[in-house]
Amino acid sequence: MMHNLLVTGGAGFIGANFVLYWRKKYPDQRIVVLDALTYAGNPESLAEVRHDSGFSFIQGDIRDSSLVEKILIDHDIDTIVHFAAESHVDRSIHGPDLFLDTNINGTHVLLRSARRIWLKGEGRSHRFHHVSTDEVYGSLGPHDPPFTEKTPYAPNSPYSASKAASDHLVRAYHHTYGLQVTTSNCSNNYGPFQFPEKLIPLILINILENQPLPIYGDGLNIRDWLYVEDHCRGIDLVLQQGRVGEVYNLGGVNEWTNLNIVRLICGLLDERFESSPELGPRFPNSPAACGKASASLITFVTDRPGHDRRYAIDAEKCRTELGYIPKESFESGIQKTVDWYLNHEEWWRRIVDGSYRDWLKKQYGT
Ligand code: NAD
Ligand code: DAU
């Protein structure tokens, strides 16, 4: 199975990493990316595969039913891997409407279109994989066991509530109509191409730019971090070996407080500036270029409303059923991530200085 994939949200952080991973591993399979190119979408992240014969990029909205159905038919799609979403918790607090519309209605349009096309007549072999989050399970206390696939849903932000609703729709389309679905609920990802509003790239870039490093509340909230390529491998395993109708939790078994993550990144950059003399002239305002500690930029700020205290994933089901074990250690993953942002200044500079949209228009006519 799986010859023609539709990847929604493939110009976003995880979607782009997934497309690059998939093209490398299965070069003979065809991929269509459907992405609306919201503020978070960046076709430049897909530059490496842009001209491949098995790759197509379509700028469009998952809420556009006729477009989605046309793509399913024209490209003979048998597999949907659904990443497209509004993904940032802080934005969902300031403006929930778009989150409900994209994450709930958008997912429903995809499900309804898939049902119409794939289950027509005798039907065809197919798979709808839904990419979701550990945030649907709510917040853990310090000694609670990690989330399993059986943990009751208790979403706390408009973002996680919208993702929870989409998970339920996916489940319902399987139960009611027999759509062949799988869902994965993953913990916090980090790695290349992450939009610099999320903690790790934000901190990295703010250090280079001599900007404050905002720590919400006391900084002791805990997240379970997974290198993005390991998330992609996990989805691959679920697609190949996962049981239809099942949910799989993916995580790094790698819990860190925010404060410790920020201190770690500060220390790594201080070391890099010391060992690589060319960094000082490239980022002359960075504290490390002036002999100061990056950690001097740490600034405690007002907490995120409703801020979940702790997330942690129990990845046992994936381990025993699919043989899934993350490959990247946190030590190596975070080093790779620091290197990637240092080596791809042009990628993030255009976003940070606001020239990105104009540049996109010139490059891609979009
Ligand atoms: P992202 O914000 O970086 O990318 C989202 C992509 O979706 C963008 O390219 C955007 O243009 C596209 N998009 C948004 N609305 C669209 C629409 N209406 N139609 C078509 N495309 C649209 O997000 P991400 O961090 O890559 O997350 C991808 C998925 O993984 C999301 O569903 C998210 O809930 C889930 N997830 C993320 C994490 C994480 O740590 N980032 C962890 C677990 C699960
Ligand atoms: O758990 C998976 C989720 O991880 C995904 O579903 C979301 O799409 C993704 O955005 C991420 O959500 P978080 O809210 O955990 O990620 P974020 O990078 O926004 O924040 C990580 C932690 O750092 C969180 O506890 C809030 C804190 N934080 C964040 C920012 C942006 C700060 O202290 N300061 C900041 O400036």
Side-chain angles (χ1 to χ4, degrees):
M1 226 258 293
M2 273 182 297
H3 298 295
N4 301 327
L5 263 69
L6 172 61
V7 178
T8 72
F13 162 47
I14 308 173
N17 277 284
F18 179 81
V19 170
L20 300 181
Y21 164 94
W22 196 269
R23 290 293 309 160
K24 228 176 256 153
K25 186 151 178 209
Y26 308 105
D28 297 335
Q29 299 194 3
R30 286 194 284 148
I31 294 191
V32 179
V33 165
L34 173 61
D35 197 298
L37 297 185
T38 67
Y39 79 95
N42 189 342
E44 190 58 6
S45 308
L46 296 168
E48 204 182 308
V49 296
R50 191 176 160 200
H51 300 297
D52 286 8
S53 60
F55 175 79
S56 328
F57 180 83
I58 297 169
Q59 183 176 359
D61 201 302
I62 55 166
R63 293 166 293 180
D64 181 344
S65 209
S66 45
L67 174 64
V68 171
E69 289 183 23
K70 186 171 161 32
I71 294 171
L72 292 181
I73 294 166
D74 289 355
H75 293 268
D76 193 24
I77 299 294
D78 54 30
T79 305
I80 295 176
V81 188
H82 174 35
F83 293 95
E86 288 296 331
S87 70
H88 193 44
V89 174
D90 293 328
R91 287 180 190 255
S92 84
I93 294 167
H94 298 299
D97 295 28
L98 182 59
F99 282 71
L100 272 59
D101 210 21
T102 298
N103 299 357
I104 306 176
N105 293 334
T107 301
H108 183 240
V109 168
L110 288 173
L111 288 164
R112 192 180 59 201
S113 305
R115 177 187 166 218
R116 278 189 188 143
I117 306 299
W118 286 344
L119 300 183
K120 202 164 54 190
E122 289 184 357
R124 63 168 299 167
S125 75
H126 65 268
R127 175 70 69 84
F128 187 110
H129 182 74
H130 178 54
V131 179
S132 192
T133 169
D134 59 356
E135 301 203 10
V136 298
Y137 299 120
S139 184
L140 293 168
H143 305 297
D144 289 340
F147 303 129
T148 73
E149 290 78 0
K150 295 202 162 64
T151 303
Y153 273 34
N156 288 320
S157 71
Y159 163 69
S160 54
S162 68
K163 291 297 289 185
S166 67
D167 294 7
H168 294 324
L169 284 167
V170 171
R171 178 192 155 88
Y173 262 70
H174 173 65
H175 191 78
T176 305
Y177 305 115
L179 197 71
Q180 310 275 291
V181 307
T182 40
T183 295
S184 50
N185 292 79
C186 190
S187 62
N188 285 63
N189 285 215
Y190 68 100
F193 302 115
Q194 188 166 31
F195 194 83
E197 65 187 346
K198 306 282 166 60
L199 183 70
I200 288 181
L202 177 87
I203 294 300
L204 268 167
I205 291 170
N206 281 12
I207 294 172
L208 299 175
E209 300 278 279
N210 194 33
Q211 295 298 311
L213 311 180
I215 308 269
Y216 299 165
D218 61 8
L220 300 182
N221 303 66
I222 290 172
R223 297 292 182 265
D224 174 354
W225 293 94
L226 181 71
Y227 192 64
V228 62
E229 201 174 296
D230 276 323
H231 186 182
C232 299
R233 284 181 44 250
I235 293 172
D236 183 6
L237 279 172
V238 175
L239 284 168
Q240 311 290 347
Q241 299 170 39
R243 286 178 293 138
V244 163
E246 288 290 312
V247 171
Y248 294 90
N249 281 358
L250 295 165
V253 195
N254 178 38
E255 293 183 49
W256 284 74
T257 64
N258 295 336
L259 193 53
N260 282 341
I261 287 272
V262 173
R263 285 184 178 138
L264 175 79
I265 297 170
C266 288
L268 285 175
L269 278 182
D270 290 348
E271 280 169 26
R272 283 305 156 88
F273 272 77
E274 220 174 293
S275 61
S276 311
E278 73 280 4
L279 287 179
R282 274 182 63 199
F283 304 104
N285 298 325
S286 183
C290 324
K292 282 198 275 179
S294 300
S296 60
L297 294 173
I298 289 178
T299 309
F300 288 88
V301 299
T302 308
D303 208 354
R304 172 186 278 175
H307 196 176
D308 284 338
R309 195 64 174 167
R310 174 178 166 236
Y311 304 140
I313 283 279
D314 179 337
E316 195 53 22
K317 180 173 174 183
C318 273
R319 199 178 64 77
T320 50
E321 260 191 43
L322 311 176
Y324 175 72
I325 299 170
K327 272 194 185 156
E328 199 71 52
S329 73
F330 190 58
E331 288 68 24
S332 62
I334 197 79
Q335 297 269 9
K336 276 189 184 174
T337 306
V338 169
D339 284 340
W340 190 86
Y341 281 89
L342 287 174
N343 294 333
H344 293 81
E345 185 183 349
E346 76 291 350
W347 184 91
W348 56 261
R349 176 73 61 199
R350 279 191 281 267
I351 298 171
V352 172
D353 73 13
S355 64
Y356 164 64
R357 283 286 152 193
D358 285 344
W359 174 84
L360 208 60
K361 211 172 240 143
K362 270 191 222 130
Q363 292 288 317
Y364 293 86
T366 177

Short mmCIF file of all heavy atoms in Angstrom, two decimals, residues 87-90 133-135 159 186-189 194 197-200 202 214-216 221 223 225 258 304 307-308 311, ligand 2:
data_model
loop_
_atom_site.label_atom_id
_atom_site.label_comp_id
_atom_site.label_asym_id
_atom_site.label_seq_id
_atom_site.Cartn_x
_atom_site.Cartn_y
_atom_site.Cartn_z
N SER A 87 -1.05 25.79 15.44
CA SER A 87 -0.33 24.94 16.39
C SER A 87 0.20 25.65 17.64
O SER A 87 0.75 25.00 18.52
CB SER A 87 0.85 24.27 15.67
OG SER A 87 1.84 25.25 15.36
N HIS A 88 0.05 26.99 17.72
CA HIS A 88 0.73 27.67 18.83
C HIS A 88 -0.25 28.03 19.96
O HIS A 88 -1.19 28.81 19.74
CB HIS A 88 1.44 28.92 18.31
CG HIS A 88 2.40 29.50 19.30
ND1 HIS A 88 3.27 28.75 20.05
CD2 HIS A 88 2.63 30.79 19.68
CE1 HIS A 88 3.98 29.53 20.84
NE2 HIS A 88 3.62 30.77 20.63
N VAL A 89 0.02 27.51 21.13
CA VAL A 89 -0.90 27.66 22.28
C VAL A 89 -1.16 29.13 22.60
O VAL A 89 -2.31 29.54 22.81
CB VAL A 89 -0.32 26.93 23.52
CG1 VAL A 89 -1.17 27.19 24.75
CG2 VAL A 89 -0.19 25.43 23.25
N ASP A 90 -0.11 29.96 22.62
CA ASP A 90 -0.30 31.38 22.97
C ASP A 90 -1.25 32.06 21.98
O ASP A 90 -2.11 32.85 22.37
CB ASP A 90 1.04 32.12 22.99
CG ASP A 90 1.94 31.63 24.12
OD1 ASP A 90 1.41 31.24 25.16
OD2 ASP A 90 3.17 31.63 23.94
N THR A 133 -1.55 15.61 19.43
CA THR A 133 -0.63 16.09 20.45
C THR A 133 -0.91 15.47 21.82
O THR A 133 -2.06 15.09 22.10
CB THR A 133 -0.75 17.63 20.55
OG1 THR A 133 -0.06 18.09 21.70
CG2 THR A 133 -2.21 18.08 20.68
N ASP A 134 0.11 15.46 22.67
CA ASP A 134 -0.09 14.98 24.05
C ASP A 134 -0.92 15.97 24.87
O ASP A 134 -1.42 15.63 25.95
CB ASP A 134 1.26 14.70 24.73
CG ASP A 134 2.17 15.92 24.82
OD1 ASP A 134 1.82 17.00 24.29
OD2 ASP A 134 3.26 15.79 25.42
N GLU A 135 -1.06 17.21 24.36
CA GLU A 135 -1.76 18.24 25.17
C GLU A 135 -3.23 17.90 25.37
O GLU A 135 -3.88 18.47 26.25
CB GLU A 135 -1.63 19.62 24.51
CG GLU A 135 -0.20 20.03 24.35
CD GLU A 135 0.02 21.54 24.23
OE1 GLU A 135 -0.93 22.30 24.45
OE2 GLU A 135 1.15 21.93 23.94
N TYR A 159 -6.26 25.66 21.93
CA TYR A 159 -5.52 24.81 20.98
C TYR A 159 -5.76 23.33 21.28
O TYR A 159 -6.17 22.56 20.40
CB TYR A 159 -4.02 25.13 21.04
CG TYR A 159 -3.16 24.04 20.43
CD1 TYR A 159 -3.17 23.80 19.05
CD2 TYR A 159 -2.34 23.22 21.23
CE1 TYR A 159 -2.40 22.79 18.49
CE2 TYR A 159 -1.57 22.21 20.67
CZ TYR A 159 -1.60 22.00 19.31
OH TYR A 159 -0.84 20.99 18.74
N CYS A 186 1.70 13.10 20.02
CA CYS A 186 3.14 13.25 20.25
C CYS A 186 3.44 14.38 21.23
O CYS A 186 2.67 15.32 21.38
CB CYS A 186 3.84 13.53 18.91
SG CYS A 186 5.63 13.46 19.03
N SER A 187 4.60 14.26 21.87
CA SER A 187 5.05 15.29 22.80
C SER A 187 5.76 16.42 22.04
O SER A 187 5.78 16.43 20.81
CB SER A 187 5.99 14.66 23.83
OG SER A 187 7.12 14.14 23.17
N ASN A 188 6.37 17.36 22.78
CA ASN A 188 7.01 18.54 22.16
C ASN A 188 8.14 18.15 21.23
O ASN A 188 9.06 17.44 21.63
CB ASN A 188 7.60 19.45 23.24
CG ASN A 188 6.53 20.23 23.96
OD1 ASN A 188 5.67 19.65 24.62
ND2 ASN A 188 6.57 21.55 23.83
N ASN A 189 8.08 18.64 20.01
CA ASN A 189 9.14 18.39 19.03
C ASN A 189 10.14 19.55 19.01
O ASN A 189 9.77 20.69 19.29
CB ASN A 189 8.55 18.32 17.62
CG ASN A 189 7.81 17.02 17.33
OD1 ASN A 189 7.86 16.53 16.22
ND2 ASN A 189 7.14 16.44 18.31
N GLN A 194 11.81 24.83 12.72
CA GLN A 194 10.71 25.17 13.64
C GLN A 194 10.55 26.68 13.68
O GLN A 194 11.53 27.44 13.82
CB GLN A 194 10.99 24.62 15.05
CG GLN A 194 9.79 24.80 15.98
CD GLN A 194 9.87 23.99 17.24
OE1 GLN A 194 10.96 23.72 17.75
NE2 GLN A 194 8.72 23.60 17.80
N GLU A 197 8.61 31.12 17.05
CA GLU A 197 7.73 31.54 18.14
C GLU A 197 7.74 30.47 19.24
O GLU A 197 7.31 30.72 20.35
CB GLU A 197 6.29 31.72 17.63
CG GLU A 197 5.66 30.41 17.16
CD GLU A 197 4.31 30.55 16.51
OE1 GLU A 197 3.68 31.62 16.60
OE2 GLU A 197 3.88 29.57 15.88
N LYS A 198 8.23 29.26 18.90
CA LYS A 198 8.23 28.14 19.84
C LYS A 198 9.50 28.22 20.69
O LYS A 198 10.52 28.76 20.25
CB LYS A 198 8.16 26.81 19.09
CG LYS A 198 6.97 26.71 18.12
CD LYS A 198 5.65 26.43 18.80
CE LYS A 198 4.42 26.67 17.95
NZ LYS A 198 4.30 25.89 16.74
N LEU A 199 9.43 27.65 21.91
CA LEU A 199 10.47 27.93 22.91
C LEU A 199 11.91 27.79 22.40
O LEU A 199 12.70 28.73 22.52
CB LEU A 199 10.27 27.04 24.15
CG LEU A 199 11.27 27.32 25.28
CD1 LEU A 199 10.99 28.67 25.93
CD2 LEU A 199 11.26 26.22 26.33
N ILE A 200 12.26 26.63 21.85
CA ILE A 200 13.69 26.39 21.56
C ILE A 200 14.25 27.33 20.48
O ILE A 200 15.25 28.02 20.73
CB ILE A 200 13.94 24.88 21.28
CG1 ILE A 200 13.81 24.14 22.62
CG2 ILE A 200 15.30 24.65 20.61
CD1 ILE A 200 14.04 22.64 22.58
N LEU A 202 13.03 30.20 19.57
CA LEU A 202 12.92 31.57 20.08
C LEU A 202 14.12 31.91 20.95
O LEU A 202 14.75 32.98 20.83
CB LEU A 202 11.61 31.72 20.88
CG LEU A 202 11.41 33.08 21.53
CD1 LEU A 202 10.73 34.03 20.54
CD2 LEU A 202 10.55 32.98 22.78
N PRO A 214 12.33 35.17 27.42
CA PRO A 214 11.17 35.19 28.32
C PRO A 214 10.84 33.82 28.88
O PRO A 214 10.61 32.87 28.14
CB PRO A 214 10.03 35.67 27.38
CG PRO A 214 10.48 35.36 26.00
CD PRO A 214 11.98 35.25 26.00
N ILE A 215 10.83 33.72 30.21
CA ILE A 215 10.45 32.47 30.87
C ILE A 215 9.10 32.72 31.53
O ILE A 215 8.98 33.60 32.41
CB ILE A 215 11.46 32.12 32.00
CG1 ILE A 215 12.88 32.14 31.48
CG2 ILE A 215 11.08 30.80 32.67
CD1 ILE A 215 13.39 30.87 30.95
N TYR A 216 8.11 31.96 31.12
CA TYR A 216 6.77 32.14 31.69
C TYR A 216 6.73 31.61 33.13
O TYR A 216 7.19 30.49 33.40
CB TYR A 216 5.72 31.38 30.88
CG TYR A 216 5.56 31.79 29.43
CD1 TYR A 216 4.86 30.96 28.54
CD2 TYR A 216 6.07 32.99 28.94
CE1 TYR A 216 4.68 31.32 27.21
CE2 TYR A 216 5.89 33.36 27.61
CZ TYR A 216 5.20 32.52 26.75
OH TYR A 216 5.03 32.88 25.43
N ASN A 221 7.67 24.52 34.60
CA ASN A 221 6.78 23.65 33.80
C ASN A 221 7.65 22.65 33.05
O ASN A 221 8.76 23.00 32.62
CB ASN A 221 5.98 24.48 32.81
CG ASN A 221 5.17 25.55 33.52
OD1 ASN A 221 5.75 26.47 34.09
ND2 ASN A 221 3.87 25.42 33.49
N ARG A 223 8.19 19.73 29.98
CA ARG A 223 7.79 19.20 28.68
C ARG A 223 8.69 17.99 28.37
O ARG A 223 9.81 17.90 28.86
CB ARG A 223 7.95 20.25 27.57
CG ARG A 223 7.05 21.50 27.75
CD ARG A 223 5.60 21.15 27.57
NE ARG A 223 4.67 22.26 27.68
CZ ARG A 223 4.01 22.61 28.79
NH1 ARG A 223 4.22 21.96 29.92
NH2 ARG A 223 3.14 23.59 28.77
N TRP A 225 10.62 16.24 25.46
CA TRP A 225 11.10 16.70 24.14
C TRP A 225 11.53 15.55 23.25
O TRP A 225 12.26 14.65 23.68
CB TRP A 225 12.27 17.68 24.32
CG TRP A 225 11.82 18.96 24.96
CD1 TRP A 225 11.85 19.26 26.30
CD2 TRP A 225 11.23 20.10 24.32
NE1 TRP A 225 11.33 20.52 26.51
CE2 TRP A 225 10.94 21.06 25.32
CE3 TRP A 225 10.92 20.41 22.99
CZ2 TRP A 225 10.37 22.30 25.03
CZ3 TRP A 225 10.34 21.65 22.71
CH2 TRP A 225 10.07 22.58 23.73
N ASN A 258 11.38 24.08 31.70
CA ASN A 258 11.70 25.11 30.71
C ASN A 258 12.99 25.84 31.08
O ASN A 258 13.82 26.15 30.23
CB ASN A 258 10.55 26.12 30.60
CG ASN A 258 9.29 25.47 30.06
OD1 ASN A 258 9.36 24.46 29.37
ND2 ASN A 258 8.14 26.03 30.38
N ARG A 304 1.74 32.14 31.19
CA ARG A 304 0.70 31.86 30.18
C ARG A 304 -0.58 31.49 30.93
O ARG A 304 -0.55 30.63 31.83
CB ARG A 304 1.18 30.68 29.34
CG ARG A 304 0.18 30.11 28.37
CD ARG A 304 0.74 28.84 27.70
NE ARG A 304 1.62 29.12 26.60
CZ ARG A 304 2.29 28.17 25.92
NH1 ARG A 304 2.19 26.91 26.26
NH2 ARG A 304 3.06 28.50 24.91
N HIS A 307 -1.59 27.73 32.03
CA HIS A 307 -0.36 27.03 31.61
C HIS A 307 -0.27 25.61 32.19
O HIS A 307 -0.16 25.44 33.40
CB HIS A 307 0.83 27.87 32.11
CG HIS A 307 2.13 27.52 31.48
ND1 HIS A 307 3.27 28.24 31.76
CD2 HIS A 307 2.49 26.57 30.60
CE1 HIS A 307 4.29 27.74 31.08
NE2 HIS A 307 3.83 26.70 30.38
N ASP A 308 -0.28 24.60 31.32
CA ASP A 308 -0.17 23.21 31.79
C ASP A 308 1.19 23.01 32.46
O ASP A 308 2.23 23.44 31.94
CB ASP A 308 -0.30 22.23 30.60
CG ASP A 308 -1.75 22.09 30.15
OD1 ASP A 308 -2.67 22.36 30.95
OD2 ASP A 308 -1.96 21.69 28.97
N TYR A 311 3.85 17.70 30.96
CA TYR A 311 3.45 16.66 30.01
C TYR A 311 4.53 15.57 30.03
O TYR A 311 5.72 15.88 30.12
CB TYR A 311 3.40 17.17 28.56
CG TYR A 311 2.53 18.36 28.28
CD1 TYR A 311 2.96 19.35 27.40
CD2 TYR A 311 1.26 18.50 28.85
CE1 TYR A 311 2.17 20.45 27.10
CE2 TYR A 311 0.47 19.60 28.55
CZ TYR A 311 0.93 20.57 27.68
OH TYR A 311 0.15 21.64 27.39
O1 DAU B 2 3.17 19.04 23.63
C1 DAU B 2 3.04 19.16 22.24
C2 DAU B 2 2.79 20.61 21.90
O2 DAU B 2 4.04 21.30 22.06
C3 DAU B 2 2.26 20.81 20.49
O3 DAU B 2 1.00 20.21 20.39
C4 DAU B 2 2.16 22.30 20.14
O4 DAU B 2 1.76 22.46 18.80
C5 DAU B 2 3.53 22.93 20.35
O5 DAU B 2 3.44 24.33 20.11
C6 DAU B 2 4.05 22.66 21.76
O6 DAU B 2 3.24 23.39 22.74
P1 DAU B 2 3.93 24.10 24.00
O7 DAU B 2 3.04 25.15 24.50
O8 DAU B 2 4.44 23.08 24.97
O9 DAU B 2 5.22 24.73 23.26
P2 DAU B 2 5.93 26.18 23.35
O10 DAU B 2 7.22 26.07 22.58
O11 DAU B 2 5.00 27.27 23.03
O12 DAU B 2 6.29 26.27 24.90
C7 DAU B 2 7.07 25.29 25.55
C8 DAU B 2 7.10 25.65 27.02
O13 DAU B 2 7.87 26.85 27.18
C9 DAU B 2 5.75 25.95 27.62
O14 DAU B 2 5.71 25.47 28.95
C10 DAU B 2 5.65 27.47 27.60
C11 DAU B 2 7.09 27.89 27.79
N1 DAU B 2 7.49 29.14 27.11
C12 DAU B 2 7.19 29.28 25.79
C13 DAU B 2 7.53 30.43 25.11
C14 DAU B 2 7.20 30.60 23.65
C15 DAU B 2 8.17 30.14 27.81
O15 DAU B 2 8.45 29.99 29.02
N2 DAU B 2 8.51 31.27 27.14
C16 DAU B 2 8.22 31.47 25.83
O16 DAU B 2 8.55 32.55 25.27
#
